Amino acid sequence: MTRKLAAGVKVCKAMEAKDRQMYAEPIGDVTEAERQADHYGRDNLGAKGNSLAVSLPLQRMVAWFREHSEG
């Protein structure tokens, strides 16, 4: 999960650099994933519930790109 979160942060930085307004929704998803990781503790993301809380916003980000292929 730590690697997925790190990848999401890299994608978020790229989206912010390209067009923060256009990518506001997926950027928000990554931000939510980071908040959840901080809330549950980044060292404890292997636990099932903690992993899910971080994974769901990242999955929403990926789904956004599927729906907005021009992005």
Side-chain angles (χ1 to χ4, degrees), residues 1-2 4-6 9 29-46 49-55 57-58:
M1 184 50 53
T2 304
K4 286 182 183 182
L5 184 58
V9 170
D29 292 332
V30 174
T31 302
E32 176 63 21
E34 287 191 289
R35 270 195 297 258
Q36 293 293 344
D38 289 339
H39 174 75
Y40 289 106
R42 292 178 184 254
D43 294 337
N44 197 22
L45 295 180
N50 301 354
S51 177
L52 185 62
V54 174
S55 181
L58 294 175

Side-chain angles (χ1 to χ4, degrees), residues 47-66:
K48 187 175 182 179
N50 301 354
S51 177
L52 185 62
V54 174
S55 181
L56 286 177
L58 294 175
Q59 290 174 16
R60 285 194 306 263
M61 177 197 67
V62 171
W64 186 92
F65 278 103
R66 285 188 195 124

